[in-house]
Amino acid sequence: MKAAEIIESLYRNHDASREELRWLIENRNEDVSQRLFELASAAARAHFGNKIYVRGLIEMTNYCRNDCYYCGIRRGNAAAQRYRLTKEDIMRCCESGYGLGFRTFVLQGGEDMYYTDDIMADIIGAIRSAYPDCAITLSLGEKTRESYQRLYDAGADRYLLRHETATPEHYAKLHPAELSLANRIECLRSLKEIGYQVGCGSMVGSPYQTLDNVVEDLLFIKGFAPQMVGMGPFIPHHETPFADKRAGTAELTLFLLAIVRLMNPKVLLPATTALGTIEDNGRELGVLAGCNVVMPNLSPLNVRRKYMLYDNKISTGDEAAEARASLERRMRAIGYEVVTERGDYRD
Ligand code: 5AD
């Protein structure tokens, strides 16, 4: 059977041709998925054992200068209630997160010009000196190389910047003309050169996405060789131009996550909040398909509902940082253990 051979070769060689990937995705079925998940989770276990790493997500601002058609915090959404966390707010999030066993803090936000490099460097420096044993991950969008360098020098270790889609024409259907895939990729390259552990990634089932686009994403990720990959389903937000578009499926998302694991065996791969939003046991299913990271929400409770990238985003259930005990229970039930280690990428 052709599918079995492609999956076997993904497992052994961490690679497949464009045609093979296309064929495998097009001809997927339950048996094929089952075999793929088996080998993807085996590949993850070979490097990470049964460990699941956790990252505390701090959503620091929902102001954004960009107007991405899919995103609920786009500047054009006049209905969004905007907020910004202060340095003190952020330090309190870290304090409670540290107590809950988090050793990575992810500062995520829209591209909010209020946070100048000076302000960000001050916040990062404060976290760095208060928590020398913790990793600091930034997810703050596109900046100049100089800014990325400045924040790295202040103590940041990792940077998440999804490429969103690796096909320029598709990128142009998801973003206004002032944003380009070329600039995204330039940012990703700068981040890597500076020395960050870098995460790229894409949305699954975003509007106008074709099978070829999905394959391009997989090949781009393989070529870029990131330390982390963020990949979750597109989910519409009612106050965006894509309000009436269909959501991506958990089924295709899991299939692609498993391929990402096999092509990039050592990558840190979260089971995303978006996956947990469209599927009840999304995070467990993600782990069983090769994911090895979860990113519970550490943001202050009063802002969580405001960081709405898409409709119905979960924020106060089991994905919340306070629900660590429940997360541990759920992971243990499928044979995995939530650990406190920083979980850095290792070659
Ligand atoms: N559905 C799913 N993911 C989304 N993101 C933004 N809007 C949506 C949406 N409607 C993702 C993007 C971005 C990350 C922070 O959230 O991929 O990079």
Side-chain angles (χ1 to χ4, degrees), residues 198-328:
V198 182
C200 65
S202 54
M203 288 180 290
V204 176
S206 59
Y208 314 108
Q209 185 180 60
T210 63
L211 178 56
D212 286 317
N213 295 154
V214 166
V215 170
E216 215 47 49
D217 286 329
L218 294 170
L219 294 171
F220 172 78
I221 293 167
K222 175 74 184 172
F224 182 66
Q227 286 81 21
M228 308 171 280
V229 171
M231 190 182 271
F234 161 77
I235 304 173
H237 185 291
H238 64 286
E239 295 281 357
T240 64
F242 290 166
D244 297 325
K245 302 292 186 192
R246 263 197 308 276
T249 64
E251 186 272 322
L252 180 57
T253 303
L254 291 165
F255 198 82
L256 296 176
L257 285 168
I259 298 178
V260 168
R261 166 59 65 210
L262 290 177
M263 292 177 80
N264 312 271
K266 300 176 185 176
V267 84
L268 290 152
L269 186 63
T272 62
T273 306
L275 181 58
T277 296
I278 58 166
E279 189 79 35
D280 271 346
N281 297 320
R283 293 195 305 184
E284 284 98 322
L285 294 172
V287 167
L288 294 171
C291 294
N292 66 333
V293 174
V294 287
M295 300 173 65
N297 199 321
L298 263 187
S299 309
L301 282 165
N302 64 313
V303 305
R304 282 194 199 168
R305 278 179 311 278
K306 298 181 182 161
Y307 199 80
M308 276 294 162
L309 305 181
Y310 43 82
D311 287 338
N312 307 313
K313 178 167 164 271
I314 49 174
S315 67
T316 50
D318 265 3
E319 76 303 325
E322 313 79 68
R324 174 93 199 228
S326 146
L327 175 67
E328 273 168 29

Side-chain angles (χ1 to χ4, degrees), residues 10-70:
L10 278 168
Y11 180 68
R12 282 182 213 293
N13 312 314
H14 320 306
D15 215 351
S17 69
R18 176 174 268 108
E19 294 66 39
E20 288 171 329
L21 289 170
R22 199 176 199 293
W23 192 93
L24 182 64
I25 297 166
E26 200 162 33
N27 292 283
R28 70 189 191 279
N29 59 37
E30 229 167 281
D31 289 347
V32 170
S33 298
Q34 207 186 333
R35 181 67 183 144
L36 182 70
F37 297 166
E38 227 170 74
L39 289 189
S41 58
R45 277 194 305 274
H47 288 289
F48 306 101
N50 67 343
K51 290 179 179 178
I52 300 296
Y53 301 105
V54 287
R55 285 53 170 110
L57 183 61
I58 301 170
E59 298 161 332
M60 54 180 281
T61 172
N62 69 352
Y63 282 85
C64 191
R65 66 173 164 177
N66 292 328
D67 220 13
C68 308
Y69 304 144
Y70 47 84

